[in-house]
Amino acid sequence: MSQKMTIRPHVKAVKEGEGAVLLDLNEGKYFSLNAVAARIWELVAAGAATDEVVSQLTQSYRIDEVSARRDVDRFFDSMRSRGFVSGE
């Protein structure tokens, strides 16, 4: 089932090279993202649901759907645990 993530308002992203840096304004902490994680973040910011994110990753990085879904789920779990995103 596809889920849409919402970026919490206290988290700001800045593109850094091929990756990105997230700033948690509540905690004053930085979190760096590699290129793939930055792409996932960008897709979420554009309103993509999880199925769309998985599809984009399989096309862009030539990985199978099972691996892409696993990686996306892990990424979202990590972002939820930090309070950076919430799901609908």
Side-chain angles (χ1 to χ4, degrees), residues 19-38:
V21 176
L22 303 181
L23 172 61
D24 180 339
L25 297 174
N26 289 346
E27 300 290 325
K29 294 182 180 179
Y30 293 90
F31 187 81
S32 64
L33 303 177
N34 65 22
V36 176

Side-chain angles (χ1 to χ4, degrees), residues 33-61:
L33 303 177
N34 65 22
V36 176
R39 179 65 178 139
I40 294 170
W41 189 266
E42 182 180 273
L43 290 166
V44 170
T50 54
D51 285 350
E52 279 182 83
V53 173
V54 168
S55 177
Q56 287 290 324
L57 293 183
T58 58
Q59 292 172 23
S60 298
Y61 297 100

Side-chain angles (χ1 to χ4, degrees), residues 6-17:
T6 302
I7 297 171
R8 304 290 303 271
H10 68 277
V11 180
K12 303 301 176 194
V14 177
K15 188 133 175 83
E16 178 72 24

